[in-house]
Amino acid sequence: MVKSIYAYLIVGLILLGIYILYTGSVSMMELILGAIVGFSVAYIFTDEWIKKPSKLNLRRLSILIAYALKYFTVIEAKAHWSVVKAILSPKPSLKPAIVRVPYRVSDEYAIVTIANSITNTPGTVVVDVSEDKKALFVHWLFAEVTEDEEARKHISAEFESWAKLIFEG
Amino acid sequence: MIDQILFWFGVALLFMGGVLDVIASVGMNRFRNFYLRLHAATIGSIGGGVYPLVGVAILVLGLDVPSTFKYYITGSALISALIVVLTSPAGSHILAKAAHKSREVLPKPAIVDRLKEKEVNEE
């Protein structure tokens, strides 16, 4: 039996919503099929996915949406522009390095969010994560600084503050 | 009016994605190292994969087709974009990790390599 009915309902409704969005129609047939599949999958996986159901609220969801909007317009555009410039310039000034970037979050979703955000911006790729030392190893194309804290300020400080707001606290 | 705006906005996103794909493939050839090429591949998957998919989703909304097709294409394009966003970093992450761990390609040139320092310390 699932531990929290609330988390179970939320996960099931999200899966049903994804199914309805994917099929693009709200006929009775699709609703019933989506509800059957969505709520059975939610029954199996809710306890695995949601450890603290009290964290599921609208405030965190709205911060997540705000972060997604900012990430896919401003941050991605800046990162793309710098790498496109490096590709097209006749003599690119590259300073590749693998730097250590410490993080100060403990939630697994927050770590994954930070790592995915770093990798999805061109110019930085996460190579390895050391969970006991709480650091990500990042291959950086334009390494202006190589000290841990300075690199963190350049690469992941913004992602980390958003991830903290969304998944922690 | 609103149809026109949606259509041309979608076309603009699609066009931008195509240009970024070409630039990413130029970068694949110009960068002479595995790790540098990973960055060009990121441009190909995000700028050349996610944005055109969102563009298709918006473009179709402005077309004059039956609404069943419209919402079906929009929905599946948006879900595909979401899946690419969530899974493509896992791919490049594991490629980089495997390449570094097996020492098949060395990250040269590199100013510092903290990961190698850590491995050397542990040995």
Side-chain angles (χ1 to χ4, degrees), chain B residues 54-105:
Chain B
V54 176
V56 167
I58 295 170
L59 181 155
V60 169
L61 285 179
L63 284 182
D64 190 19
V65 288
S67 62
T68 350
F69 293 118
K70 225 189 224 183
Y71 297 131
Y72 173 63
I73 296 176
T74 301
S76 38
L78 283 179
I79 297 291
S80 315
L82 183 70
I83 289 174
V84 172
V85 166
L86 289 179
T87 52
S88 85
S92 34
H93 166 71
I94 208 68
L95 272 174
K97 184 174 177 176
H100 200 283
K101 202 140 219 167
S102 66
R103 293 175 193 174
E104 196 66 33
V105 277

mmCIF file of all heavy atoms in Angstrom, chain B residues 54-105:
data_model
loop_
_atom_site.group_PDB
_atom_site.id
_atom_site.type_symbol
_atom_site.label_atom_id
_atom_site.label_comp_id
_atom_site.label_asym_id
_atom_site.label_seq_id
_atom_site.Cartn_x
_atom_site.Cartn_y
_atom_site.Cartn_z
ATOM 1 N N VAL B 54 9.993 22.526 -29.935
ATOM 2 C CA VAL B 54 9.041 23.512 -29.406
ATOM 3 C C VAL B 54 8.489 24.356 -30.551
ATOM 4 O O VAL B 54 7.301 24.707 -30.583
ATOM 5 C CB VAL B 54 9.735 24.383 -28.339
ATOM 6 C CG1 VAL B 54 8.801 25.466 -27.845
ATOM 7 C CG2 VAL B 54 10.172 23.536 -27.176
ATOM 8 N N GLY B 55 9.360 24.661 -31.531
ATOM 9 C CA GLY B 55 8.930 25.416 -32.696
ATOM 10 C C GLY B 55 7.842 24.690 -33.467
ATOM 11 O O GLY B 55 6.843 25.298 -33.870
ATOM 12 N N VAL B 56 8.012 23.376 -33.670
ATOM 13 C CA VAL B 56 6.984 22.587 -34.360
ATOM 14 C C VAL B 56 5.678 22.642 -33.588
ATOM 15 O O VAL B 56 4.595 22.834 -34.162
ATOM 16 C CB VAL B 56 7.454 21.124 -34.530
ATOM 17 C CG1 VAL B 56 6.296 20.239 -34.941
ATOM 18 C CG2 VAL B 56 8.542 21.040 -35.562
ATOM 19 N N ALA B 57 5.773 22.513 -32.244
ATOM 20 C CA ALA B 57 4.568 22.539 -31.420
ATOM 21 C C ALA B 57 3.820 23.846 -31.589
ATOM 22 O O ALA B 57 2.584 23.862 -31.682
ATOM 23 C CB ALA B 57 4.941 22.323 -29.953
ATOM 24 N N ILE B 58 4.553 24.963 -31.669
ATOM 25 C CA ILE B 58 3.881 26.268 -31.791
ATOM 26 C C ILE B 58 3.385 26.495 -33.209
ATOM 27 O O ILE B 58 2.285 26.991 -33.430
ATOM 28 C CB ILE B 58 4.852 27.383 -31.355
ATOM 29 C CG1 ILE B 58 5.167 27.229 -29.870
ATOM 30 C CG2 ILE B 58 4.259 28.745 -31.602
ATOM 31 C CD1 ILE B 58 6.270 28.116 -29.401
ATOM 32 N N LEU B 59 4.214 26.070 -34.190
ATOM 33 C CA LEU B 59 3.863 26.265 -35.604
ATOM 34 C C LEU B 59 2.552 25.590 -35.953
ATOM 35 O O LEU B 59 1.698 26.171 -36.635
ATOM 36 C CB LEU B 59 5.018 25.699 -36.441
ATOM 37 C CG LEU B 59 5.059 25.724 -37.962
ATOM 38 C CD1 LEU B 59 6.510 25.680 -38.369
ATOM 39 C CD2 LEU B 59 4.361 24.551 -38.588
ATOM 40 N N VAL B 60 2.386 24.335 -35.469
ATOM 41 C CA VAL B 60 1.190 23.580 -35.835
ATOM 42 C C VAL B 60 -0.074 24.262 -35.301
ATOM 43 O O VAL B 60 -1.117 24.244 -35.947
ATOM 44 C CB VAL B 60 1.308 22.137 -35.310
ATOM 45 C CG1 VAL B 60 0.007 21.406 -35.432
ATOM 46 C CG2 VAL B 60 2.364 21.399 -36.084
ATOM 47 N N LEU B 61 0.045 24.925 -34.120
ATOM 48 C CA LEU B 61 -1.127 25.591 -33.549
ATOM 49 C C LEU B 61 -1.649 26.683 -34.474
ATOM 50 O O LEU B 61 -2.834 27.004 -34.453
ATOM 51 C CB LEU B 61 -0.762 26.200 -32.189
ATOM 52 C CG LEU B 61 -0.620 25.230 -31.027
ATOM 53 C CD1 LEU B 61 -0.249 25.993 -29.787
ATOM 54 C CD2 LEU B 61 -1.907 24.473 -30.805
ATOM 55 N N GLY B 62 -0.774 27.263 -35.302
ATOM 56 C CA GLY B 62 -1.208 28.330 -36.185
ATOM 57 C C GLY B 62 -1.679 27.856 -37.539
ATOM 58 O O GLY B 62 -2.079 28.658 -38.365
ATOM 59 N N LEU B 63 -1.630 26.541 -37.794
ATOM 60 C CA LEU B 63 -2.023 26.025 -39.103
ATOM 61 C C LEU B 63 -3.523 25.760 -39.165
ATOM 62 O O LEU B 63 -4.177 25.587 -38.129
ATOM 63 C CB LEU B 63 -1.266 24.718 -39.405
ATOM 64 C CG LEU B 63 0.189 24.852 -39.822
ATOM 65 C CD1 LEU B 63 0.742 23.472 -40.124
ATOM 66 C CD2 LEU B 63 0.328 25.731 -41.037
ATOM 67 N N ASP B 64 -4.039 25.683 -40.380
ATOM 68 C CA ASP B 64 -5.465 25.453 -40.583
ATOM 69 C C ASP B 64 -5.706 23.972 -40.846
ATOM 70 O O ASP B 64 -5.975 23.556 -41.964
ATOM 71 C CB ASP B 64 -5.962 26.302 -41.754
ATOM 72 C CG ASP B 64 -7.476 26.267 -41.830
ATOM 73 O OD1 ASP B 64 -8.089 25.914 -40.804
ATOM 74 O OD2 ASP B 64 -8.022 26.561 -42.893
ATOM 75 N N VAL B 65 -5.550 23.140 -39.808
ATOM 76 C CA VAL B 65 -5.770 21.701 -39.945
ATOM 77 C C VAL B 65 -6.777 21.285 -38.886
ATOM 78 O O VAL B 65 -7.003 22.018 -37.926
ATOM 79 C CB VAL B 65 -4.457 20.907 -39.762
ATOM 80 C CG1 VAL B 65 -3.544 21.102 -40.947
ATOM 81 C CG2 VAL B 65 -3.762 21.276 -38.488
ATOM 82 N N PRO B 66 -7.405 20.089 -39.027
ATOM 83 C CA PRO B 66 -8.355 19.622 -38.000
ATOM 84 C C PRO B 66 -7.701 19.587 -36.618
ATOM 85 O O PRO B 66 -6.525 19.253 -36.494
ATOM 86 C CB PRO B 66 -8.706 18.212 -38.468
ATOM 87 C CG PRO B 66 -8.430 18.208 -39.903
ATOM 88 C CD PRO B 66 -7.339 19.185 -40.166
ATOM 89 N N SER B 67 -8.476 19.939 -35.598
ATOM 90 C CA SER B 67 -7.880 20.153 -34.281
ATOM 91 C C SER B 67 -7.338 18.856 -33.693
ATOM 92 O O SER B 67 -6.446 18.893 -32.849
ATOM 93 C CB SER B 67 -8.900 20.775 -33.337
ATOM 94 O OG SER B 67 -9.978 19.891 -33.177
ATOM 95 N N THR B 68 -7.844 17.692 -34.126
ATOM 96 C CA THR B 68 -7.303 16.431 -33.598
ATOM 97 C C THR B 68 -5.818 16.313 -33.917
ATOM 98 O O THR B 68 -5.005 16.040 -33.051
ATOM 99 C CB THR B 68 -8.018 15.217 -34.217
ATOM 100 O OG1 THR B 68 -9.138 15.680 -34.925
ATOM 101 C CG2 THR B 68 -8.386 14.222 -33.182
ATOM 102 N N PHE B 69 -5.480 16.558 -35.206
ATOM 103 C CA PHE B 69 -4.081 16.483 -35.613
ATOM 104 C C PHE B 69 -3.252 17.537 -34.887
ATOM 105 O O PHE B 69 -2.148 17.290 -34.428
ATOM 106 C CB PHE B 69 -3.948 16.703 -37.121
ATOM 107 C CG PHE B 69 -4.544 15.602 -37.935
ATOM 108 C CD1 PHE B 69 -5.591 15.858 -38.793
ATOM 109 C CD2 PHE B 69 -4.061 14.313 -37.826
ATOM 110 C CE1 PHE B 69 -6.153 14.850 -39.531
ATOM 111 C CE2 PHE B 69 -4.625 13.299 -38.565
ATOM 112 C CZ PHE B 69 -5.666 13.564 -39.418
ATOM 113 N N LYS B 70 -3.840 18.742 -34.825
ATOM 114 C CA LYS B 70 -3.144 19.880 -34.220
ATOM 115 C C LYS B 70 -2.664 19.538 -32.820
ATOM 116 O O LYS B 70 -1.479 19.586 -32.522
ATOM 117 C CB LYS B 70 -4.141 21.026 -34.138
ATOM 118 C CG LYS B 70 -3.626 22.354 -34.583
ATOM 119 C CD LYS B 70 -4.662 23.373 -34.223
ATOM 120 C CE LYS B 70 -4.884 24.338 -35.341
ATOM 121 N NZ LYS B 70 -5.830 25.369 -34.996
ATOM 122 N N TYR B 71 -3.609 19.147 -31.946
ATOM 123 C CA TYR B 71 -3.227 18.935 -30.552
ATOM 124 C C TYR B 71 -2.379 17.678 -30.403
ATOM 125 O O TYR B 71 -1.519 17.609 -29.525
ATOM 126 C CB TYR B 71 -4.472 18.880 -29.671
ATOM 127 C CG TYR B 71 -5.226 20.180 -29.692
ATOM 128 C CD1 TYR B 71 -6.590 20.243 -29.913
ATOM 129 C CD2 TYR B 71 -4.520 21.371 -29.532
ATOM 130 C CE1 TYR B 71 -7.252 21.445 -29.967
ATOM 131 C CE2 TYR B 71 -5.175 22.583 -29.583
ATOM 132 C CZ TYR B 71 -6.536 22.618 -29.805
ATOM 133 O OH TYR B 71 -7.171 23.816 -29.856
ATOM 134 N N TYR B 72 -2.595 16.691 -31.311
ATOM 135 C CA TYR B 72 -1.762 15.494 -31.241
ATOM 136 C C TYR B 72 -0.304 15.841 -31.525
ATOM 137 O O TYR B 72 0.604 15.462 -30.777
ATOM 138 C CB TYR B 72 -2.264 14.448 -32.242
ATOM 139 C CG TYR B 72 -1.373 13.251 -32.347
ATOM 140 C CD1 TYR B 72 -1.173 12.427 -31.249
ATOM 141 C CD2 TYR B 72 -0.690 12.965 -33.520
ATOM 142 C CE1 TYR B 72 -0.343 11.337 -31.330
ATOM 143 C CE2 TYR B 72 0.138 11.870 -33.604
ATOM 144 C CZ TYR B 72 0.312 11.061 -32.504
ATOM 145 O OH TYR B 72 1.138 9.996 -32.570
ATOM 146 N N ILE B 73 -0.062 16.623 -32.600
ATOM 147 C CA ILE B 73 1.325 16.962 -32.957
ATOM 148 C C ILE B 73 1.936 17.868 -31.898
ATOM 149 O O ILE B 73 3.071 17.664 -31.466
ATOM 150 C CB ILE B 73 1.379 17.611 -34.353
ATOM 151 C CG1 ILE B 73 0.916 16.595 -35.389
ATOM 152 C CG2 ILE B 73 2.779 18.096 -34.672
ATOM 153 C CD1 ILE B 73 0.829 17.139 -36.770
ATOM 154 N N THR B 74 1.161 18.877 -31.445
ATOM 155 C CA THR B 74 1.686 19.769 -30.405
ATOM 156 C C THR B 74 2.080 18.994 -29.157
ATOM 157 O O THR B 74 3.189 19.150 -28.635
ATOM 158 C CB THR B 74 0.627 20.819 -30.029
ATOM 159 O OG1 THR B 74 0.302 21.557 -31.187
ATOM 160 C CG2 THR B 74 1.144 21.754 -28.974
ATOM 161 N N GLY B 75 1.166 18.127 -28.695
ATOM 162 C CA GLY B 75 1.436 17.393 -27.463
ATOM 163 C C GLY B 75 2.634 16.498 -27.590
ATOM 164 O O GLY B 75 3.529 16.508 -26.739
ATOM 165 N N SER B 76 2.727 15.737 -28.693
ATOM 166 C CA SER B 76 3.856 14.805 -28.778
ATOM 167 C C SER B 76 5.163 15.551 -28.972
ATOM 168 O O SER B 76 6.201 15.112 -28.464
ATOM 169 C CB SER B 76 3.628 13.767 -29.871
ATOM 170 O OG SER B 76 3.012 14.317 -30.973
ATOM 171 N N ALA B 77 5.140 16.708 -29.684
ATOM 172 C CA ALA B 77 6.382 17.471 -29.829
ATOM 173 C C ALA B 77 6.843 18.007 -28.484
ATOM 174 O O ALA B 77 8.041 17.959 -28.158
ATOM 175 C CB ALA B 77 6.179 18.616 -30.820
ATOM 176 N N LEU B 78 5.903 18.503 -27.664
ATOM 177 C CA LEU B 78 6.293 19.043 -26.357
ATOM 178 C C LEU B 78 6.848 17.947 -25.457
ATOM 179 O O LEU B 78 7.869 18.138 -24.769
ATOM 180 C CB LEU B 78 5.100 19.723 -25.684
ATOM 181 C CG LEU B 78 4.739 21.098 -26.213
ATOM 182 C CD1 LEU B 78 3.536 21.641 -25.472
ATOM 183 C CD2 LEU B 78 5.902 22.048 -26.068
ATOM 184 N N ILE B 79 6.187 16.763 -25.446
ATOM 185 C CA ILE B 79 6.672 15.670 -24.608
ATOM 186 C C ILE B 79 8.055 15.210 -25.081
ATOM 187 O O ILE B 79 8.954 14.934 -24.269
ATOM 188 C CB ILE B 79 5.672 14.498 -24.616
ATOM 189 C CG1 ILE B 79 4.340 14.937 -24.027
ATOM 190 C CG2 ILE B 79 6.208 13.322 -23.818
ATOM 191 C CD1 ILE B 79 4.348 15.213 -22.577
ATOM 192 N N SER B 80 8.251 15.153 -26.423
ATOM 193 C CA SER B 80 9.565 14.753 -26.932
ATOM 194 C C SER B 80 10.629 15.748 -26.495
ATOM 195 O O SER B 80 11.738 15.355 -26.102
ATOM 196 C CB SER B 80 9.559 14.669 -28.446
ATOM 197 O OG SER B 80 8.433 14.015 -28.902
ATOM 198 N N ALA B 81 10.314 17.054 -26.551
ATOM 199 C CA ALA B 81 11.279 18.071 -26.116
ATOM 200 C C ALA B 81 11.636 17.860 -24.655
ATOM 201 O O ALA B 81 12.823 17.903 -24.277
ATOM 202 C CB ALA B 81 10.698 19.469 -26.331
ATOM 203 N N LEU B 82 10.618 17.585 -23.822
ATOM 204 C CA LEU B 82 10.873 17.357 -22.385
ATOM 205 C C LEU B 82 11.785 16.155 -22.184
ATOM 206 O O LEU B 82 12.730 16.191 -21.384
ATOM 207 C CB LEU B 82 9.534 17.143 -21.678
ATOM 208 C CG LEU B 82 9.596 16.970 -20.165
ATOM 209 C CD1 LEU B 82 9.980 18.278 -19.519
ATOM 210 C CD2 LEU B 82 8.288 16.476 -19.623
ATOM 211 N N ILE B 83 11.525 15.076 -22.959
ATOM 212 C CA ILE B 83 12.341 13.867 -22.790
ATOM 213 C C ILE B 83 13.776 14.127 -23.230
ATOM 214 O O ILE B 83 14.731 13.679 -22.582
ATOM 215 C CB ILE B 83 11.698 12.694 -23.561
ATOM 216 C CG1 ILE B 83 10.420 12.277 -22.851
ATOM 217 C CG2 ILE B 83 12.635 11.512 -23.637
ATOM 218 C CD1 ILE B 83 9.626 11.240 -23.576
ATOM 219 N N VAL B 84 13.958 14.884 -24.316
ATOM 220 C CA VAL B 84 15.327 15.194 -24.760
ATOM 221 C C VAL B 84 16.054 16.011 -23.696
ATOM 222 O O VAL B 84 17.215 15.746 -23.374
ATOM 223 C CB VAL B 84 15.314 15.932 -26.112
ATOM 224 C CG1 VAL B 84 16.704 16.408 -26.472
ATOM 225 C CG2 VAL B 84 14.793 15.032 -27.192
ATOM 226 N N VAL B 85 15.357 17.001 -23.119
ATOM 227 C CA VAL B 85 15.984 17.827 -22.083
ATOM 228 C C VAL B 85 16.435 16.971 -20.908
ATOM 229 O O VAL B 85 17.516 17.158 -20.355
ATOM 230 C CB VAL B 85 15.016 18.926 -21.600
ATOM 231 C CG1 VAL B 85 15.501 19.551 -20.329
ATOM 232 C CG2 VAL B 85 14.872 19.983 -22.647
ATOM 233 N N LEU B 86 15.600 16.000 -20.504
ATOM 234 C CA LEU B 86 15.928 15.232 -19.302
ATOM 235 C C LEU B 86 16.960 14.151 -19.566
ATOM 236 O O LEU B 86 17.698 13.769 -18.658
ATOM 237 C CB LEU B 86 14.656 14.599 -18.719
ATOM 238 C CG LEU B 86 13.687 15.588 -18.084
ATOM 239 C CD1 LEU B 86 12.476 14.855 -17.566
ATOM 240 C CD2 LEU B 86 14.338 16.358 -16.975
ATOM 241 N N THR B 87 17.029 13.607 -20.802
ATOM 242 C CA THR B 87 17.902 12.445 -21.012
ATOM 243 C C THR B 87 19.212 12.750 -21.710
ATOM 244 O O THR B 87 20.174 12.007 -21.516
ATOM 245 C CB THR B 87 17.164 11.362 -21.824
ATOM 246 O OG1 THR B 87 16.643 11.964 -22.999
ATOM 247 C CG2 THR B 87 16.062 10.752 -21.036
ATOM 248 N N SER B 88 19.276 13.802 -22.539
ATOM 249 C CA SER B 88 20.525 14.019 -23.271
ATOM 250 C C SER B 88 21.710 14.359 -22.353
ATOM 251 O O SER B 88 22.830 13.931 -22.641
ATOM 252 C CB SER B 88 20.343 15.070 -24.356
ATOM 253 O OG SER B 88 20.499 16.349 -23.839
ATOM 254 N N PRO B 89 21.531 15.108 -21.249
ATOM 255 C CA PRO B 89 22.686 15.301 -20.350
ATOM 256 C C PRO B 89 23.194 13.996 -19.751
ATOM 257 O O PRO B 89 24.397 13.852 -19.549
ATOM 258 C CB PRO B 89 22.162 16.251 -19.278
ATOM 259 C CG PRO B 89 20.705 16.213 -19.390
ATOM 260 C CD PRO B 89 20.408 15.938 -20.804
ATOM 261 N N ALA B 90 22.276 13.030 -19.496
ATOM 262 C CA ALA B 90 22.735 11.744 -18.969
ATOM 263 C C ALA B 90 23.662 11.069 -19.962
ATOM 264 O O ALA B 90 24.697 10.492 -19.592
ATOM 265 C CB ALA B 90 21.541 10.852 -18.655
ATOM 266 N N GLY B 91 23.325 11.177 -21.261
ATOM 267 C CA GLY B 91 24.167 10.575 -22.289
ATOM 268 C C GLY B 91 25.546 11.189 -22.339
ATOM 269 O O GLY B 91 26.561 10.478 -22.295
ATOM 270 N N SER B 92 25.634 12.540 -22.407
ATOM 271 C CA SER B 92 26.966 13.135 -22.522
ATOM 272 C C SER B 92 27.750 12.964 -21.230
ATOM 273 O O SER B 92 28.976 12.816 -21.252
ATOM 274 C CB SER B 92 26.886 14.602 -22.933
ATOM 275 O OG SER B 92 25.784 15.228 -22.403
ATOM 276 N N HIS B 93 27.029 12.952 -20.093
ATOM 277 C CA HIS B 93 27.697 12.745 -18.807
ATOM 278 C C HIS B 93 28.373 11.372 -18.767
ATOM 279 O O HIS B 93 29.546 11.259 -18.407
ATOM 280 C CB HIS B 93 26.666 12.882 -17.699
ATOM 281 C CG HIS B 93 27.101 12.386 -16.364
ATOM 282 N ND1 HIS B 93 28.045 13.038 -15.617
ATOM 283 C CD2 HIS B 93 26.733 11.309 -15.666
ATOM 284 C CE1 HIS B 93 28.226 12.370 -14.505
ATOM 285 N NE2 HIS B 93 27.449 11.312 -14.508
ATOM 286 N N ILE B 94 27.652 10.333 -19.182
ATOM 287 C CA ILE B 94 28.222 8.989 -19.063
ATOM 288 C C ILE B 94 29.310 8.773 -20.103
ATOM 289 O O ILE B 94 30.294 8.071 -19.848
ATOM 290 C CB ILE B 94 27.098 7.927 -19.137
ATOM 291 C CG1 ILE B 94 27.498 6.674 -18.374
ATOM 292 C CG2 ILE B 94 26.765 7.561 -20.538
ATOM 293 C CD1 ILE B 94 27.594 6.869 -16.904
ATOM 294 N N LEU B 95 29.183 9.427 -21.288
ATOM 295 C CA LEU B 95 30.263 9.345 -22.276
ATOM 296 C C LEU B 95 31.542 9.943 -21.718
ATOM 297 O O LEU B 95 32.626 9.342 -21.810
ATOM 298 C CB LEU B 95 29.870 10.102 -23.550
ATOM 299 C CG LEU B 95 29.114 9.351 -24.619
ATOM 300 C CD1 LEU B 95 28.710 10.302 -25.708
ATOM 301 C CD2 LEU B 95 29.994 8.274 -25.194
ATOM 302 N N ALA B 96 31.426 11.147 -21.114
ATOM 303 C CA ALA B 96 32.613 11.815 -20.582
ATOM 304 C C ALA B 96 33.223 11.000 -19.462
ATOM 305 O O ALA B 96 34.448 10.826 -19.386
ATOM 306 C CB ALA B 96 32.239 13.213 -20.084
ATOM 307 N N LYS B 97 32.362 10.465 -18.586
ATOM 308 C CA LYS B 97 32.880 9.700 -17.453
ATOM 309 C C LYS B 97 33.602 8.444 -17.920
ATOM 310 O O LYS B 97 34.700 8.121 -17.442
ATOM 311 C CB LYS B 97 31.728 9.338 -16.521
ATOM 312 C CG LYS B 97 32.216 8.632 -15.285
ATOM 313 C CD LYS B 97 31.115 8.408 -14.289
ATOM 314 C CE LYS B 97 31.674 7.631 -13.114
ATOM 315 N NZ LYS B 97 30.714 7.443 -12.064
ATOM 316 N N ALA B 98 32.999 7.731 -18.892
ATOM 317 C CA ALA B 98 33.624 6.507 -19.385
ATOM 318 C C ALA B 98 34.948 6.811 -20.071
ATOM 319 O O ALA B 98 35.945 6.104 -19.875
ATOM 320 C CB ALA B 98 32.684 5.798 -20.352
ATOM 321 N N ALA B 99 34.981 7.902 -20.854
ATOM 322 C CA ALA B 99 36.219 8.248 -21.552
ATOM 323 C C ALA B 99 37.312 8.590 -20.558
ATOM 324 O O ALA B 99 38.485 8.239 -20.745
ATOM 325 C CB ALA B 99 35.981 9.426 -22.493
ATOM 326 N N HIS B 100 36.939 9.287 -19.456
ATOM 327 C CA HIS B 100 37.962 9.669 -18.490
ATOM 328 C C HIS B 100 38.431 8.478 -17.682
ATOM 329 O O HIS B 100 39.618 8.324 -17.412
ATOM 330 C CB HIS B 100 37.410 10.759 -17.571
ATOM 331 C CG HIS B 100 38.476 11.529 -16.878
ATOM 332 N ND1 HIS B 100 39.167 11.041 -15.803
ATOM 333 C CD2 HIS B 100 38.996 12.745 -17.132
ATOM 334 C CE1 HIS B 100 40.059 11.929 -15.415
ATOM 335 N NE2 HIS B 100 39.974 12.969 -16.202
ATOM 336 N N LYS B 101 37.494 7.632 -17.292
ATOM 337 C CA LYS B 101 37.840 6.509 -16.425
ATOM 338 C C LYS B 101 38.705 5.491 -17.168
ATOM 339 O O LYS B 101 39.651 4.933 -16.596
ATOM 340 C CB LYS B 101 36.557 5.845 -15.933
ATOM 341 C CG LYS B 101 36.775 5.055 -14.675
ATOM 342 C CD LYS B 101 35.623 5.217 -13.724
ATOM 343 C CE LYS B 101 36.121 5.305 -12.308
ATOM 344 N NZ LYS B 101 35.130 5.739 -11.370
ATOM 345 N N SER B 102 38.395 5.224 -18.447
ATOM 346 C CA SER B 102 39.159 4.218 -19.178
ATOM 347 C C SER B 102 40.487 4.772 -19.678
ATOM 348 O O SER B 102 41.308 4.017 -20.184
ATOM 349 C CB SER B 102 38.347 3.725 -20.363
ATOM 350 O OG SER B 102 38.188 4.767 -21.274
ATOM 351 N N ARG B 103 40.698 6.086 -19.580
ATOM 352 C CA ARG B 103 41.902 6.762 -20.083
ATOM 353 C C ARG B 103 42.108 6.508 -21.560
ATOM 354 O O ARG B 103 43.227 6.467 -22.056
ATOM 355 C CB ARG B 103 43.128 6.347 -19.280
ATOM 356 C CG ARG B 103 42.992 6.884 -17.869
ATOM 357 C CD ARG B 103 44.067 6.461 -16.958
ATOM 358 N NE ARG B 103 43.646 6.786 -15.593
ATOM 359 C CZ ARG B 103 44.315 6.451 -14.517
ATOM 360 N NH1 ARG B 103 45.427 5.810 -14.627
ATOM 361 N NH2 ARG B 103 43.873 6.787 -13.340
ATOM 362 N N GLU B 104 41.003 6.313 -22.266
ATOM 363 C CA GLU B 104 41.069 6.098 -23.715
ATOM 364 C C GLU B 104 41.454 7.390 -24.415
ATOM 365 O O GLU B 104 42.284 7.382 -25.317
ATOM 366 C CB GLU B 104 39.695 5.613 -24.193
ATOM 367 C CG GLU B 104 39.690 4.995 -25.563
ATOM 368 C CD GLU B 104 40.471 3.698 -25.622
ATOM 369 O OE1 GLU B 104 40.495 2.951 -24.627
ATOM 370 O OE2 GLU B 104 41.058 3.445 -26.672
ATOM 371 N N VAL B 105 40.844 8.518 -23.992
ATOM 372 C CA VAL B 105 41.244 9.829 -24.510
ATOM 373 C C VAL B 105 41.660 10.689 -23.327
ATOM 374 O O VAL B 105 40.997 10.710 -22.306
ATOM 375 C CB VAL B 105 40.094 10.518 -25.274
ATOM 376 C CG1 VAL B 105 40.027 10.019 -26.674
ATOM 377 C CG2 VAL B 105 38.801 10.329 -24.567
#
